Amino acid sequence: MATNPLSGIRVYDPATANQPASTSTATPTASSQTQDFLTLLVAQIQNQDPTSPMDASTMTSQMSNLSMVQSMQDMNSSLSSLLAQMQASNFITQASSIGHAPLVAGSSIQYSGTGNVMMGGQVANALSDLTATITDSSGNVVNQVDLGAVQPGMKNFAWSGTDSNGNQLPAGNYNVQFMGTNASGGTDTSTTAYVASPVATVSKSADGKTVNLNLADGQVVDANSVTQWDS
């Protein structure tokens, strides 16, 4: 392709038609494409045949295309701004969860030595009986809670931090496991344990798209994954 010396716009030349415009491999941006469009339109007007000027409908169509491109650029900018505002709003909202305790899948209990710990079992099948067994860090059974007959779904209960005799246990790491009995009398271990732990801090992921809840027991949880809160 050759270059029109009057406008700097490349024009058709059979001798150079298959040659690249330049050695640059940069991808044009939306703004540069808009500028090129305007430059080309101005060049067309400047170099049109005075005896056969550009048809008004053609110019209108080209201007309409330019307007559509600009509108799409503006819409992209608006959507990006809206997304950023929504992410910031969600982060501020989740910050109010500090001090509250979501129930998170897992059997580990970090007991502070006082108060109750809310727990739950996600029951997969209807059971004639379900028992929660709490053990200490050495694996010794310290308490058992009979939850009776249960239906599929979440079955919650609170552990007060006491052993089976009602004695207060010290702060430390404990564990909970569920054992059920099905309608035919067989053993069912399909119940998933959930344990509540207070939110200590709230942070964003590296890409800024996810709000993470940093729990007191050291776990990091995606805020959108929480399905149940204790308080």
Side-chain angles (χ1 to χ4, degrees):
M1 301 288 283
T3 303
N4 186 330
L6 296 178
S7 62
I9 301 299
R10 300 178 72 213
V11 297
Y12 182 76
D13 182 344
T16 61
N18 294 323
Q19 294 181 5
S22 70
T23 57
S24 174
T25 59
T27 301
T29 63
S31 59
S32 68
Q33 289 176 336
T34 301
Q35 184 60 45
D36 289 345
F37 187 96
L38 286 171
T39 302
L40 179 59
L41 182 61
V42 170
Q44 286 179 310
I45 296 173
Q46 290 176 338
N47 296 289
Q48 65 183 331
D49 185 349
T51 63
S52 180
M54 182 186 300
D55 182 56
S57 61
T58 301
M59 182 179 295
T60 301
S61 176
Q62 292 179 344
M63 292 301 295
S64 176
N65 289 337
L66 174 61
S67 177
M68 186 175 2
V69 170
Q70 187 61 51
S71 295
M72 292 178 67
Q73 293 175 10
D74 293 342
M75 183 171 63
N76 274 342
S77 297
S78 297
L79 289 174
S80 296
S81 176
L82 178 61
L83 178 60
Q85 291 177 19
M86 291 177 65
Q87 290 174 341
S89 177
N90 183 44
F91 182 69
I92 293 173
T93 300
Q94 294 297 342
S96 64
S97 65
I98 294 176
H100 298 280
L103 269 75
V104 180
S107 59
S108 179
I109 307 168
Q110 190 176 76
Y111 184 54
S112 65
T114 60
N116 296 333
V117 178
M118 180 61 70
M119 288 180 273
Q122 184 65 46
V123 182
N125 310 300
L127 302 172
S128 61
D129 187 68
L130 180 64
T131 300
T133 299
I134 300 172
T135 56
D136 60 20
S137 58
S138 299
N140 301 310
V141 175
V142 296
N143 206 339
Q144 287 187 310
V145 180
D146 188 355
L147 301 173
V150 295
Q151 295 299 315
M154 183 68 78
K155 178 65 176 179
N156 295 108
F157 70 98
W159 176 51
S160 61
T162 59
D163 62 18
S164 56
N165 296 317
N167 299 314
Q168 184 66 47
L169 295 170
N173 295 321
Y174 296 84
N175 195 275
V176 60
Q177 297 290 338
F178 290 89
M179 183 73 72
T181 303
N182 57 34
S184 61
T187 299
D188 187 298
T189 59
S190 62
T191 299
T192 302
Y194 279 73
V195 178
S197 180
V199 176
T201 61
V202 176
S203 61
K204 288 184 180 180
S205 60
D207 59 10
K209 296 180 180 179
T210 303
V211 177
N212 293 323
L213 306 178
N214 306 301
L215 308 184
D217 63 4
Q219 295 188 80
V220 179
V221 180
D222 180 349
N224 292 325
S225 69
V226 177
T227 59
Q228 188 177 39
W229 290 83
D230 171 28
S231 60

mmCIF file of all heavy atoms in Angstrom, residues 102-108 192-195 219 221:
data_model
loop_
_atom_site.group_PDB
_atom_site.id
_atom_site.type_symbol
_atom_site.label_atom_id
_atom_site.label_comp_id
_atom_site.label_asym_id
_atom_site.label_seq_id
_atom_site.Cartn_x
_atom_site.Cartn_y
_atom_site.Cartn_z
ATOM 1 N N PRO A 102 -19.348 -17.437 61.445
ATOM 2 C CA PRO A 102 -19.963 -18.297 60.440
ATOM 3 C C PRO A 102 -19.655 -19.764 60.753
ATOM 4 O O PRO A 102 -18.621 -20.077 61.343
ATOM 5 C CB PRO A 102 -19.267 -17.865 59.151
ATOM 6 C CG PRO A 102 -17.899 -17.441 59.610
ATOM 7 C CD PRO A 102 -18.107 -16.815 60.955
ATOM 8 N N LEU A 103 -20.565 -20.658 60.352
ATOM 9 C CA LEU A 103 -20.297 -22.085 60.490
ATOM 10 C C LEU A 103 -19.598 -22.550 59.224
ATOM 11 O O LEU A 103 -20.086 -22.327 58.120
ATOM 12 C CB LEU A 103 -21.590 -22.876 60.705
ATOM 13 C CG LEU A 103 -22.000 -23.070 62.178
ATOM 14 C CD1 LEU A 103 -22.566 -21.768 62.729
ATOM 15 C CD2 LEU A 103 -23.018 -24.189 62.326
ATOM 16 N N VAL A 104 -18.439 -23.176 59.408
ATOM 17 C CA VAL A 104 -17.599 -23.600 58.289
ATOM 18 C C VAL A 104 -17.378 -25.103 58.363
ATOM 19 O O VAL A 104 -17.181 -25.664 59.448
ATOM 20 C CB VAL A 104 -16.240 -22.860 58.327
ATOM 21 C CG1 VAL A 104 -15.357 -23.306 57.167
ATOM 22 C CG2 VAL A 104 -16.448 -21.359 58.289
ATOM 23 N N ALA A 105 -17.420 -25.753 57.208
ATOM 24 C CA ALA A 105 -17.205 -27.195 57.164
ATOM 25 C C ALA A 105 -15.836 -27.546 57.738
ATOM 26 O O ALA A 105 -14.819 -26.976 57.355
ATOM 27 C CB ALA A 105 -17.333 -27.699 55.728
ATOM 28 N N GLY A 106 -15.821 -28.477 58.683
ATOM 29 C CA GLY A 106 -14.577 -28.886 59.332
ATOM 30 C C GLY A 106 -14.874 -29.422 60.718
ATOM 31 O O GLY A 106 -15.876 -29.055 61.335
ATOM 32 N N SER A 107 -14.016 -30.280 61.221
ATOM 33 C CA SER A 107 -14.260 -30.922 62.522
ATOM 34 C C SER A 107 -13.434 -30.327 63.657
ATOM 35 O O SER A 107 -13.634 -30.682 64.822
ATOM 36 C CB SER A 107 -13.964 -32.421 62.419
ATOM 37 O OG SER A 107 -12.609 -32.634 62.023
ATOM 38 N N SER A 108 -12.519 -29.405 63.343
ATOM 39 C CA SER A 108 -11.636 -28.848 64.367
ATOM 40 C C SER A 108 -12.335 -27.756 65.172
ATOM 41 O O SER A 108 -13.007 -26.881 64.620
ATOM 42 C CB SER A 108 -10.375 -28.279 63.706
ATOM 43 O OG SER A 108 -9.512 -27.708 64.665
ATOM 44 N N THR A 192 -21.619 -34.360 57.561
ATOM 45 C CA THR A 192 -20.456 -33.465 57.514
ATOM 46 C C THR A 192 -20.497 -32.488 58.682
ATOM 47 O O THR A 192 -21.526 -31.856 58.943
ATOM 48 C CB THR A 192 -20.435 -32.659 56.202
ATOM 49 O OG1 THR A 192 -20.420 -33.570 55.102
ATOM 50 C CG2 THR A 192 -19.209 -31.755 56.131
ATOM 51 N N ALA A 193 -19.375 -32.384 59.394
ATOM 52 C CA ALA A 193 -19.303 -31.501 60.564
ATOM 53 C C ALA A 193 -19.077 -30.051 60.157
ATOM 54 O O ALA A 193 -18.329 -29.760 59.223
ATOM 55 C CB ALA A 193 -18.169 -31.966 61.479
ATOM 56 N N TYR A 194 -19.724 -29.139 60.895
ATOM 57 C CA TYR A 194 -19.540 -27.696 60.740
ATOM 58 C C TYR A 194 -19.270 -27.106 62.115
ATOM 59 O O TYR A 194 -19.914 -27.480 63.102
ATOM 60 C CB TYR A 194 -20.788 -27.034 60.146
ATOM 61 C CG TYR A 194 -20.899 -27.163 58.639
ATOM 62 C CD1 TYR A 194 -21.236 -28.376 58.047
ATOM 63 C CD2 TYR A 194 -20.664 -26.067 57.809
ATOM 64 C CE1 TYR A 194 -21.331 -28.504 56.677
ATOM 65 C CE2 TYR A 194 -20.759 -26.186 56.431
ATOM 66 C CZ TYR A 194 -21.098 -27.404 55.867
ATOM 67 O OH TYR A 194 -21.185 -27.517 54.495
ATOM 68 N N VAL A 195 -18.315 -26.166 62.192
ATOM 69 C CA VAL A 195 -17.963 -25.530 63.461
ATOM 70 C C VAL A 195 -17.903 -24.016 63.261
ATOM 71 O O VAL A 195 -17.365 -23.536 62.261
ATOM 72 C CB VAL A 195 -16.600 -26.037 63.982
ATOM 73 C CG1 VAL A 195 -16.226 -25.330 65.285
ATOM 74 C CG2 VAL A 195 -16.637 -27.551 64.193
ATOM 75 N N GLN A 219 -8.568 -20.149 59.918
ATOM 76 C CA GLN A 219 -9.103 -20.447 58.589
ATOM 77 C C GLN A 219 -9.385 -19.155 57.809
ATOM 78 O O GLN A 219 -9.701 -18.121 58.402
ATOM 79 C CB GLN A 219 -10.399 -21.262 58.688
ATOM 80 C CG GLN A 219 -10.233 -22.644 59.267
ATOM 81 C CD GLN A 219 -11.518 -23.447 59.155
ATOM 82 O OE1 GLN A 219 -11.841 -23.992 58.103
ATOM 83 N NE2 GLN A 219 -12.249 -23.542 60.258
ATOM 84 N N VAL A 221 -11.866 -17.930 54.731
ATOM 85 C CA VAL A 221 -13.075 -18.396 54.049
ATOM 86 C C VAL A 221 -13.584 -17.333 53.086
ATOM 87 O O VAL A 221 -13.621 -16.141 53.424
ATOM 88 C CB VAL A 221 -14.180 -18.724 55.080
ATOM 89 C CG1 VAL A 221 -15.440 -19.218 54.380
ATOM 90 C CG2 VAL A 221 -13.684 -19.755 56.086
#
